[in-house]
Structure formats: C-alpha cells, structure tokens
Amino acid sequence: MDAATPLPTILFVDDEPNILSSLRRLFRGQGYRILTADSGAAGLELLRQQAVDLVISDMRMPIMSGAQFLEAVRSEWPGTMRLLLTGYADVQSILDAINRGEIYRYITKPWDDNDIQLIVRHTLERQRLQHEKQRLELLTHTQNEALKALNASLEDKVRQRTADLSKAHDGLLCFNAKLKTNFLLSIKVFSNLIEMRGGGLAGHALRVADLARKLAVRLDCDDATVQDVFVAAMLHNIGQIGLSDELLALPQTAMSGEQLGQYRKHPVRAEQLLMPLDELRGAALLVRAHQERFDGTGYPDQLAALAIPLGARILALASDYDKLQIGMMMPKKLRPEEARAAVLHSRGKRYDPAVVDAFVQMLDAALVPVREPAHATVVVPVAAVQPGMTLAKDLVLPDGSLLLSADHVLDAGLVRQIINYEKTLLHPLRLTVYHD
C-alpha cells in the first residue's frame, strides 16, 4: 500500500475482553488500524472522534444491543460498513439487526479465522468500489454536463462556438492536476473530446495509436517507449481543441498562409496541456515533435534526422498514413495503396527511412498468404497463466484500456502482477495466449 494512503480502520465492539483480544491478535499485521470498544456507547464515542471504515459488533451486549448500536452507526455514519458477530442462532434477532442496522454480513461464533479475514477483506473492497463508483459517477455527470453545453453551443455562430471551445481549452489546463490520479481515463476524455469536433477525425486517434504501437514493437522499442508512443498517438491532436471547425475541416494543402500558421501551433499547445502530468511528459515530447520532418523542414523546432525522438518519427508516419486516407491532408481521400505510395515517396524527406522500411515490411507481411498452419491460441483464466506463455492478443481491461500488448512474453513477475491486479476488478480477466 502507498505510504500516503491511510490504513483501513476497523472497530471491534464486544463486552467480552477475551473476544476483543482474540480479534486484535488475529488482525494484527494484516494492514489495518485496529480500534476496540467494550460497549455500544464506547463505540459511538470512538466513532465521533475519528473516521472508521468498518465496524464489527457483537449482538448480545448489556444496555445497548448490537442491533441498537449498528442502527445508530447506520444513522450517523452511513458510509461505515457494518458486520454483526453473533454467538447464538436467534434468527429474529439477526433479522432485526439486518433491518435496523442494515448490516452487510453476519459472522457466527466461534468463527473460522480464514473466513472472518476473507469477509473483512471483501467488505473493505466493496466499500472501496462503492467510493470509486461514486467518484466516477460524479466525474461522468460533470463531463456529461460539459458535453451538453458543448452540443448546445453548436447552434450558435462560429465566433461564439470558438469562444466556448477556447474556454473548454482553458478549463482542461485547470483540470490536469485532478486528472493526474486517473491516467487512462484522462486519455479517453481528451481523445474523445477532440474527435467530437468532426472533420472526419472519428476513430482517427485509435487507428493511429494501433499502427504506431505495432511499428514501435517492430522497431524493437522498449515497453516504456511503446507505451509513450501509444499514449501520444491517442492525444496527438489535443492541441487543436481551440481551433475553429472551419479550419479543422480544411485539408492542409488548402489552407492559406495565415491559417497554416495558426494550425501549426497545435503541437506546442498540446505539449503545454500534457506537461503538467508526470505520466504524460514522455508522450508530450513526442506530440510536440510529431510534425517535424526528417529533412529538417518541419515544425515547430525544425529538428532533423535522429534529433527527432524515435517515437515522434513513428507517430508522424502513422498519423499521415491515416490522414491521407480520410482526406485531412489532401483535397481527396487516397486508397490504402495510394497512401502507401505517398509515404514511400517521402522516404528520407518527411519520414525516417528506417520507420518507412518497417512500415512497408509490416504491410507486406499482412499480404503474404500463410503457408504453414498458424499458431494455435487458447483463452485461459488468470489462474491458469504460466511463466513463459506469450500473449496472442492485446490484454484489454473491461473499460477498453490496454494492460499488455500482444506478443508479450510473460515472466513470473508479470504473472504475479496480473493475478494481483485481477483482485481489484469486478470481473475476471481472460488471456489469449499461443498454444504449443
């Protein structure tokens, strides 16, 4: 657990000292902060003094029963999870506690140590998921309200629409610090916001990200560089958020000098947006440089050859290849073979020859008929994953984010990480691996 994250606090309430001592010993060293109280009144006093995540109360206690105590906890601290500890089979009393205290689970005495530890862990995990759900619902509501305002602004004049988007651009700078703790969600929000602008960009970022990632893998980039290339590709157009709809709809070859000068500022704007987030600084450098040319005539810094980061050289080719096909660079849309020819024509001028060669090899490999039986694949649950297995497909989380890329060889450390990560999810993961 992160040193900055406070330990979950558990309060045990029981009028029997030996029971409290047993519970304290059982949960000592388990990563919790333990509090105890010998009566309901003492438990309530502790709750008034400090925050508690989970309360476990005995049913039979003098003066104030467990049901009465848990009812008071539910009333004053509804966010605190509640468990009932009962040593007798009085169904009506248990039902009373459930109805009045709205307990999550009840545990019978004598308890099984493994069972009670598992129940506590699951209870605290449920509380964490509830808090995360509330946070995401609030974030989604905020984003939906912003999108409603953006859609309404589309009916206004161009000047008003541009002004509204400029305000949204300024707002994104303010939100960067808050989005720092939610890296993947930040990427989705930014990328989707850009593609809502229209101009034929729908799906562009995802197609570019997929092609750029494959090129980075083919060029033997390390995992960190592959990740930066993928993220940069998803966000490479974020600097265009302040540009007008008319300008975005124009192919670059149809722009006037003034329009082209305004358009060419977007890599620098994008870098300014992404730099405040530590996790995005590598991608920000690639986004700034993705309009540089291998011959040194690009922008904004006129870098040439190997002075341009490799990730930016990859991103430049991947982005242009897709834009040529959707009509964002030339007045007409090119067929895939025409876009490929245009890329080859600019080898050594616009694009790095090594990147172009890898690109051509990748396209040619996709056209070669399979002469031998393809490697068989099998879908396995996380529990069946073994070191040495190779991913046949990207490992994608339920929210659509990439966890591991295809062709990744799993070692013992990665297997342990995947197992531990799955425990934080609501649904089990399944991996597609090659089968010998």
Side-chain angles (χ1 to χ4, degrees), residues 118-314:
L118 185 61
I119 289 172
V120 166
R121 188 160 60 249
H122 285 176
T123 303
L124 290 172
E125 176 64 12
R126 178 183 177 87
Q127 181 192 55
R128 187 191 69 78
L129 291 174
Q130 288 176 340
H131 290 167
E132 181 67 5
K133 177 176 177 291
Q134 292 170 357
R135 187 187 68 80
L136 291 176
E137 286 176 346
L138 178 60
L139 180 60
T140 300
H141 174 74
T142 302
Q143 293 168 353
N144 286 340
E145 291 302 314
L147 290 177
K148 288 179 183 178
L150 181 60
N151 287 334
S153 72
L154 294 177
E155 299 177 0
D156 299 334
K157 293 181 179 180
V158 172
R159 182 180 298 175
Q160 183 60 45
R161 287 156 48 192
T162 304
D164 290 342
L165 287 170
S166 179
K167 292 179 181 178
H169 168 269
D170 294 338
L172 284 174
L173 290 174
C174 298
F175 279 117
N176 276 338
K178 295 180 181 179
L179 292 174
K180 184 176 181 180
T181 59
N182 210 331
F183 177 52
L184 292 177
L185 184 57
S186 305
I187 294 172
K188 286 188 174 183
V189 171
F190 292 149
S191 181
N192 290 342
L193 184 59
I194 291 299
E195 295 196 343
M196 283 181 61
R197 296 292 305 279
L201 284 176
H204 169 70
L206 190 57
R207 292 191 299 272
V208 173
D210 182 61
L211 176 58
R213 180 182 62 79
K214 290 176 180 177
L215 280 172
V217 171
R218 179 170 283 270
L219 288 165
D220 294 324
C221 295
D222 57 48
D223 288 346
T225 300
V226 172
Q227 179 73 10
D228 280 344
V229 168
F230 182 84
V231 172
M234 290 295 293
L235 299 176
H236 70 285
N237 283 329
I238 191 172
Q240 297 179 13
I241 193 170
L243 301 179
S244 68
D245 292 344
E246 288 78 8
L247 183 59
L248 289 179
L250 283 176
Q252 293 182 39
T253 54
M255 292 181 185
S256 67
E258 181 180 353
Q259 289 172 326
L260 195 59
Q262 184 181 1
Y263 176 80
R264 286 184 171 184
K265 294 177 182 178
H266 77 85
V268 175
R269 290 198 191 98
E271 183 189 37
Q272 292 171 349
L273 285 171
L274 302 179
M275 281 298 291
L277 296 178
D278 291 339
E279 298 88 343
L280 295 178
R281 286 181 180 173
L285 295 175
L286 304 186
V287 172
R288 179 186 178 99
H290 84 281
Q291 291 292 346
E292 302 289 355
R293 292 174 54 103
F294 197 73
D295 61 8
T297 62
Y299 60 90
D301 302 308
Q302 290 78 51
L303 300 178
L306 302 185
I308 306 170
L310 175 57
R313 286 177 263 148
I314 293 171

